[in-house]
């Protein structure tokens, strides 16, 4: 069987390296040598608070779900993968039997086992066993650190599909964390002609410009809402993506979107309730879409990423080794103005 190193969250702000048994694969599974894991905002939230909403870390948990790696062995029923294949992992394994799975909306499966969501261990370790149908090959010219961006890009692609982004749309993105930034690529892939990107961090605004945003606006400007309107010819955006997870950006989305437009809510808020002017939603006939993770997006995400390799390379701003995981999480937590995406190289 053998052993492996794993980074385990013992309690809030306490990460330790443990030696654990290497996974034993089932007949339909693949053993993956994990090469790189992106640090997601949810990982940092678990690290800092020990919970996210109803998901509570009640026993030591391996973090990490944005993972890339190499196939090192395959079960006897595996058909699509061979030893040596470079892959990314779709981290949510579903039941395949419920109405959501059968209708193609498997991200809503009530029995999903999602990496690094308690009590399911994540991928911040040397090896993971993954069912064959949740692995995707990536081209050899996509480095392992860049391949970890497939997961957050999938959120943007799912949002673009939910919001029905189409050719010629004017798109507003409120919040430029990794998901917000990668949503720029997603909406452009679906034909958006204008992308207005809004944040308060200069580093992220500059990254948005390099990714293809046609307008970047610093929300610290007193008149930033007027700047958004002016960028759209005073009509407001056809579709607004809220990716910051704040009361202010949610409020802005419902104030500034074009009459008859679409609002896509991706960011999770610390507070579960935010005041919304329902009369305005009705009067403007807004279509409002929630986005929970993704479904059927990985192939498209790999394609979009592969076509934008030079642009996305700058998004991975910091790299750490496995034994530096504790320092990595502290750095990400305390340096949001300096870090876009940090990864742990294994």
């Amino acid at each position: 069987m053998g052993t492996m190193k794993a980074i385990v969250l013992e309690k809030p702000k306490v990460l330790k390296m443990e030696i654990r048994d290497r996974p034993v694969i089932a007949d339909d599974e693949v053993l993956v040598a994990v090469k790189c894991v992106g640090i997601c905002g949810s990982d940092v939230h678990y690290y800092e608070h020990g919970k996210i909403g109803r998901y509570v870390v009640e026993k030591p948990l391996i973090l990490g779900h944005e993972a890339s790696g190499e196939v090192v062995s395959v079960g006897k029923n595996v058909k699509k993968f061979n030893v040596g294949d470079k892959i990314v992992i779709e981290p949510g394994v579903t039941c395949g039997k419920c109405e959501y799975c059968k209708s193609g909306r498997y991200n809503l499966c009530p029995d999903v086992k999602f990496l690094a969501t308690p009590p399911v261990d994540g991928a911040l370790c040397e090896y993971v066993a993954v069912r064959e149908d949740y692995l995707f090959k990536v081209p050899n010219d996509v480095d392992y650190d860049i391949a970890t961006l497939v997961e957050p890009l999938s959120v943007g692609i799912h949002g673009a599909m939910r919001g029905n982004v189409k050719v010629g749309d004017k798109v507003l993105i409120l919040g430029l964390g990794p998901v917000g930034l990668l949503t720029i690529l997603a909406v452009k892939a679906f034909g958006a002609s204008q992308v207005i990107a809004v944040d308060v961090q200069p580093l992220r605004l500059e990254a948005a410009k390099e990714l293809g945003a046609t307008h970047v606006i610093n929300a610290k400007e007193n008149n930033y809402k007027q700047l958004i309107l002016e960028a759209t010819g005073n009509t407001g955006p056809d579709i607004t993506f809220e990716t910051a997870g704040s009361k202010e950006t949610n409020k802005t989305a419902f104030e500034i979107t074009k009459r008859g437009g679409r609002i896509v809510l991706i960011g999770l808020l610390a507070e579960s309730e935010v005041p919304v002017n329902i009369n305005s939603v009705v009067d403007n006939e807004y279509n409002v879409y929630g986005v929970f993770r993704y479904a059927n997006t990985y192939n498209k995400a790999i394609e979009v990423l592969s076509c934008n390799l030079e642009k996305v390379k700058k998004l991975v701003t910091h790299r750490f080794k496995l034994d530096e995981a504790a320092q990595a999480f502290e750095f990400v937590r305390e340096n949001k103005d300096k870090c876009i995406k940090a990864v742990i190289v294994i």
Side-chain angles (χ1 to χ4, degrees):
M1 178 189 296
T3 59
M4 66 175 184
K5 296 176 182 178
I7 300 299
V8 179
L9 179 68
E10 290 197 337
K11 60 183 180 180
K13 298 183 183 178
V14 178
L15 284 174
K16 292 188 177 180
M17 183 178 287
E18 290 186 1
I19 302 300
R20 291 199 174 186
D21 291 335
R22 188 182 298 186
V24 176
I25 57 174
D27 291 344
D28 62 347
E29 288 184 327
V30 171
L31 185 65
V32 176
V34 181
K35 297 296 185 181
C36 197
V37 179
I39 299 177
C40 176
S42 64
D43 294 317
V44 176
H45 203 89
Y46 281 126
Y47 167 75
E48 191 168 5
H49 304 288
K51 63 180 181 178
I52 297 178
R54 61 189 174 97
Y55 300 105
V56 181
V57 180
E58 296 178 338
K59 63 178 183 178
L61 181 75
I62 300 174
L63 294 175
H65 62 269
E66 301 175 358
S68 63
E70 180 183 342
V71 173
V72 293
S73 66
V74 299
K76 66 179 184 181
N77 294 335
V78 171
K79 307 296 184 186
K80 296 187 295 185
F81 295 93
N82 297 300
V83 173
D85 285 343
K86 180 185 284 189
I87 56 85
V88 288
I89 300 169
E90 183 171 355
V93 177
T94 60
C95 75
K97 300 176 182 178
C98 69
E99 63 174 303
Y100 300 108
C101 288
K102 287 183 176 295
S103 66
R105 301 184 72 183
Y106 60 85
N107 56 312
L108 302 180
C109 173
D111 296 318
V112 63
K113 293 178 174 59
F114 199 92
L115 293 180
T117 298
V120 181
D121 278 328
L124 203 48
C125 52
E126 292 182 302
Y127 297 93
V128 291
V130 184
R131 215 169 75 191
E132 176 185 27
D133 48 329
Y134 287 87
L135 293 179
F136 296 82
K137 294 178 185 178
V138 293
N140 288 329
D141 62 343
V142 180
D143 293 335
Y144 286 113
D145 56 350
I146 301 304
T148 65
L149 299 175
V150 169
E151 198 275 346
L153 175 55
S154 281
V155 178
I157 288 174
H158 186 55
M161 293 192 297
R162 289 276 289 151
N164 191 29
V165 175
K166 56 187 183 295
V167 173
D169 272 343
K170 297 176 182 178
V171 174
L172 171 65
I173 300 173
L174 298 169
L176 299 176
V179 170
L181 286 168
L182 289 164
T183 297
I184 296 171
L185 295 183
V187 299
K188 287 177 71 70
F190 282 88
S193 61
Q194 187 180 60
V195 181
I196 304 160
V198 179
D199 201 274
V200 297
Q201 299 291 350
L203 177 67
R204 297 172 187 270
L205 291 166
E206 184 59 34
K209 192 182 301 181
E210 294 183 7
L211 288 171
T214 54
H215 300 75
V216 294
I217 296 173
N218 193 323
K220 287 184 178 179
E221 299 288 340
N222 290 332
N223 62 337
Y224 83 94
K225 294 179 184 178
Q226 182 59 37
L227 293 175
I228 294 171
L229 286 174
E230 289 175 1
T232 64
N234 291 313
T235 65
D238 298 299
I239 179 168
T240 297
F241 288 80
E242 197 291 318
T243 53
S246 77
K247 283 186 176 181
E248 173 65 20
T249 47
N250 271 268
K251 183 170 179 284
T252 299
F254 285 92
E255 289 176 345
I256 209 161
T257 303
K258 183 179 182 179
R259 192 168 167 84
R262 292 149 279 157
I263 298 170
V264 179
L265 304 178
I266 295 178
L268 291 172
L269 286 81
E271 309 90 348
S272 59
E273 296 183 3
V274 174
V276 173
N277 185 336
I278 296 299
N279 287 341
S280 174
V281 175
V282 174
D283 184 70
N284 286 296
E285 205 168 86
Y286 286 141
N287 289 308
V288 182
Y289 303 92
V291 170
F292 182 64
R293 296 173 179 159
Y294 35 75
N296 303 304
T297 56
Y298 260 56
N299 285 323
K300 183 68 174 178
I302 292 168
E303 177 188 337
V304 171
L305 197 71
S306 298
C307 293
N308 292 277
L309 285 181
E310 290 306 312
K311 291 180 180 179
V312 299
K313 283 180 179 178
K314 293 183 180 179
L315 296 184
V316 180
T317 52
H318 295 82
R319 295 165 178 82
F320 297 86
K321 298 176 182 177
L322 187 63
D323 60 5
E324 297 173 328
Q327 299 98 295
F329 274 75
E330 274 300 307
F331 178 84
V332 172
R333 188 174 74 89
E334 296 179 355
N335 294 278
K336 294 179 181 178
D337 59 329
K338 300 175 184 176
C339 177
I340 295 176
K341 192 67 178 179
V343 299
I344 295 179
V345 180
I346 300 173

